[in-house]
């Protein structure tokens, strides 16, 4: 498998802009259901399994779980900013620096699995309260250098969740 296929096993994300009601529901269902998938595939892994990588030089499974918890909290916060502020910048992080901190390498994944479950519960609850007009609000993403509408941010969050779940499956040989 080439390096791009390993880095982006479900392809790269790009904003689509328009979504059918079925596509919207599919993204929402991913965010609702994927925390259970993360828990099921990782909660009984050994320390050795948590240190597996999906490619040479990649983050370990433990780092991936902690990264998803961190980033999905930021995704949720971006929604809140976009809904309560005028033209906000999206909250960003130095993700490589965060993922390589000793804390991200060693924190028990149970902490992050709980964060993912709680964040997704709040995030999807918020999404279900939003009007169609609110999904047209958004934020400027300083790293991607684009304005992202919340409808696309929903898609990005679902993509990100699936993207790293696939990395974990690759690391485990599934």
């Amino acid at each position: 498998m080439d390096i791009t296929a390993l880095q982006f096993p479900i392809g790269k994300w790009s904003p689509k802009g328009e979504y059918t009601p079925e596509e919207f529901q599919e993204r929402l269902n991913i965010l609702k259901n994927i925390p259970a998938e993360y828990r099921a595939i990782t909660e009984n892994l050994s320390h050795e399994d948590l240190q597996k990588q999906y490619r040479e030089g990649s983050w370990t499974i433990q780092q991936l779980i902690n990264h998803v918890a961190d980033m999905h909290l930021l995704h949720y916060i971006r929604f809140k900013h976009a809904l309560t502020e005028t033209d906000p910048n999206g909250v960003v992080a130095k993700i490589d620096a965060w993922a390589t901190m000793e804390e991200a390498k060693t924190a028990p994944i149970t902490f992050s699995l709980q964060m993912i479950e709680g964040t997704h519960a709040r995030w999807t609850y918020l999404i279900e309260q939003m009007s169609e007009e609110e999904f047209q609000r958004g934020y400027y993403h300083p790293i991607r250098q684009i304005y992202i509408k919340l409808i696309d941010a929903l898609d990005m969050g679902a993509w990100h969740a699936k993207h790293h779940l696939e990395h974990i499956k690759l690391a485990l040989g599934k």
Side-chain angles (χ1 to χ4, degrees):
M1 191 176 271
D2 70 44
I3 192 152
T4 302
L6 290 172
Q7 282 180 303
F8 300 100
I10 64 168
K12 293 183 178 184
W13 179 81
S14 62
K16 196 174 149 187
E18 299 291 327
Y19 301 83
T20 66
E22 295 78 21
E23 289 170 326
F24 171 87
Q25 192 61 50
E26 176 193 12
R27 273 54 169 198
L28 180 60
N29 288 340
I30 289 168
L31 292 182
K32 283 183 170 186
N33 298 319
I34 211 160
E37 292 183 54
Y38 272 92
R39 183 171 290 281
I41 199 168
T42 63
E43 75 177 338
N44 294 316
L45 294 179
S46 67
H47 175 74
E48 291 75 26
D49 286 335
L50 290 173
Q51 302 316 305
K52 290 181 178 177
Q53 300 171 303
Y54 59 93
R55 66 177 169 82
E56 187 175 332
S58 74
W59 297 338
T60 65
I61 292 172
Q62 188 161 8
Q63 287 171 291
L64 287 167
I65 295 293
N66 292 330
H67 164 75
V68 169
D70 289 344
M71 292 305 107
H72 288 204
L73 183 58
L74 286 183
H75 281 278
Y76 171 66
I77 290 169
R78 289 173 185 163
F79 268 71
K80 299 280 270 198
H81 279 181
L83 291 168
T84 61
E85 299 176 19
T86 303
D87 298 322
N89 279 337
V91 180
V92 295
K94 294 182 177 183
I95 60 172
D96 288 326
W98 283 27
T100 56
M101 291 176 66
E102 193 61 25
E103 171 266 347
K105 292 178 182 179
T106 61
I109 64 165
T110 55
F111 300 163
S112 289
L113 291 172
Q114 290 171 346
M115 282 180 65
I116 293 167
E117 289 164 350
T119 299
H120 279 237
R122 285 285 305 277
W123 191 9
T124 57
Y125 184 81
L126 172 65
I127 289 167
E128 290 176 326
Q129 306 300 310
M130 291 171 58
S131 68
E132 285 187 36
E133 295 78 30
E134 287 173 317
F135 280 103
Q136 299 308 306
R137 296 185 66 124
Y139 58 88
Y140 179 76
H141 196 296
I143 294 173
R144 292 181 182 269
Q145 297 188 350
I146 59 173
Y147 183 82
I148 298 178
K149 291 180 181 180
L150 292 180
I151 190 66
D152 285 317
L154 167 62
D155 184 54
M156 180 171 40
W159 172 87
H160 189 259
K162 289 175 27 184
H163 169 71
H164 286 306
L165 186 62
E166 288 303 312
H167 283 154
I168 292 166
K169 289 176 183 177
L170 283 169
L172 294 172
K174 296 187 177 206

